[in-house]
Amino acid sequence: MFERHRARLLAVAYRMLGRTGDAEDVVQDAWLRWSLTDVAGVADPEAYLVRIATRLAIDRLRSAQARHESYVGPWLPEPMLTSRDVAEDVALADSVSTALLLVLEALSPIERAVFVLREAFGYPYGEIAQIVGRTEATARQTARHAREHVEARHTRYNTDQATRAVVTERFLDAATGGDLRALMSVLAPDVELVSDGGGLAPAPRRAIHGLELVARALATFAGRMPPEPSVELVSLNGGPGIVIRSGQAPVVAITLHLVDGLVKTIHLVSNPEKLTGLRQG
């Protein structure tokens, strides 16, 4: 019975935590609690398990906030491989977008839980209230505050997957070919490059802004490819993405966010601890 709901638990935990490893740990801890439960007395296993996983994720979020304060350089969510089904569902794809997950970092753990359960999974407020241990009125109020926060800070990027795929390929060709002019042609004038190396891989300690600075930073990066490099176009966080490997090991994951058909934001993750979920085999 637990296996029937594993995918849902992992989906909830990842959207709350932004790290696949932490999400998997939450699911494992939920399994341990489930294994000690008299399941015959559980009327609604899914609701019961989601409540356990959500509360475990809330606890992890509270401890993670302190870790983020001492993090070296910009913090980005851990890239996650996603299926074509996710990419074709606009709402579902947006719910795992690194851009949205980054905005959710500013919410309190309870606000994030309520937002995820309501906006990504459509749980009714009464059930959300039981999951997070609040009244239904409080759950509604929390959801409204969280939604207002997200809408005020979340840039509405292009969601057309065909356009995103074409631009991602053009970006990749220009960057790997060292064609600075072609690279600049796909970037917005106010493009931003955010790199997450976590102090464990070379990466700018601050976001880079502006067409020329970002283009030159990318050209420099492309000139420092790892040994035995290979480049793969994949579906990352609900949309087209790029994974660069050295042999079999992933060393960089890149997701592009578009506005009006041009790259507005680039998220580049090189922290090796955040790339383990992209390993082949």
Side-chain angles (χ1 to χ4, degrees):
M1 188 178 294
F2 183 88
E3 289 302 318
R4 289 186 212 161
H5 305 293
R6 179 184 289 273
R8 170 57 59 95
L9 302 182
L10 188 61
V12 170
Y14 175 76
R15 286 163 175 79
M16 286 189 59
L17 299 168
R19 294 197 62 163
T20 56
D22 286 350
E24 289 166 353
D25 287 345
V26 162
V27 173
Q28 181 62 24
D29 289 345
W31 156 248
L32 291 175
R33 296 196 182 193
W34 175 259
S35 68
L36 299 174
T37 299
D38 179 9
V39 298
V42 178
D44 187 341
E46 179 185 326
Y48 182 84
L49 287 168
V50 169
R51 181 166 66 249
I52 291 175
T54 299
R55 292 183 178 181
L56 288 169
I58 287 172
D59 290 341
R60 279 182 174 263
L61 274 177
R62 288 172 174 152
S63 62
Q65 287 177 337
R67 294 201 306 270
H68 289 181
E69 290 175 1
S70 60
Y71 196 79
V72 177
W75 186 95
L76 288 173
E78 183 175 335
M80 178 181 69
L81 293 169
T82 46
S83 67
R84 182 174 297 178
D85 290 343
V86 171
E88 291 176 350
D89 185 322
V90 173
L92 198 57
D94 188 55
S95 74
V96 291
S97 160
T98 56
L100 177 61
L101 294 175
L102 198 55
V103 172
L104 296 187
E105 285 297 308
L107 298 179
S108 72
I110 293 293
E111 287 174 333
R112 186 160 180 168
V114 171
F115 182 89
V116 166
L117 292 171
R118 181 63 183 175
E119 300 299 323
F121 297 99
Y123 281 99
Y125 289 111
E127 195 166 341
I128 292 173
Q130 293 180 359
I131 290 172
V132 300
R134 299 291 192 273
T135 65
E136 183 172 342
T138 299
R140 287 179 180 275
Q141 184 179 36
T142 301
R144 185 177 69 254
H145 288 165
R147 193 180 306 112
E148 290 172 352
H149 173 94
V150 170
E151 289 177 352
R153 292 164 177 79
H154 183 32
T155 302
R156 293 300 172 185
Y157 295 107
N158 296 159
T159 56
D160 177 63
Q161 297 291 4
T163 300
R164 292 185 66 191
V166 169
V167 173
T168 299
E169 290 185 18
R170 288 175 58 197
F171 172 92
L172 179 59
D173 290 342
T176 56
D179 189 338
L180 196 60
R181 179 171 295 181
L183 182 59
M184 292 174 69
S185 72
V186 301
L187 303 179
D190 56 348
V191 62
E192 176 187 50
L193 169 63
V194 183
S195 301
D196 179 347
L200 302 176
R205 298 293 178 89
R206 294 183 179 179
I208 299 174
H209 300 269
L211 182 59
E212 291 192 9
L213 290 177
V214 169
R216 293 189 182 280
L218 291 170
T220 300
F221 171 79
R224 299 174 179 171
M225 293 291 278
E228 300 182 57
S230 63
V231 181
E232 183 182 7
L233 289 170
V234 297
S235 180
L236 286 180
N237 294 83
I242 300 166
V243 174
I244 300 174
R245 302 180 188 277
S246 177
Q248 298 297 312
V251 292
V252 173
I254 302 171
T255 51
L256 309 178
H257 304 282
L258 278 58
V259 172
D260 296 330
L262 295 174
V263 179
K264 168 77 171 178
T265 305
I266 304 167
H267 286 159
L268 188 155
V269 177
S270 57
N271 181 344
E273 293 183 349
K274 292 187 175 183
L275 300 173
T276 56
L278 305 181
R279 292 185 179 276
Q280 293 176 330

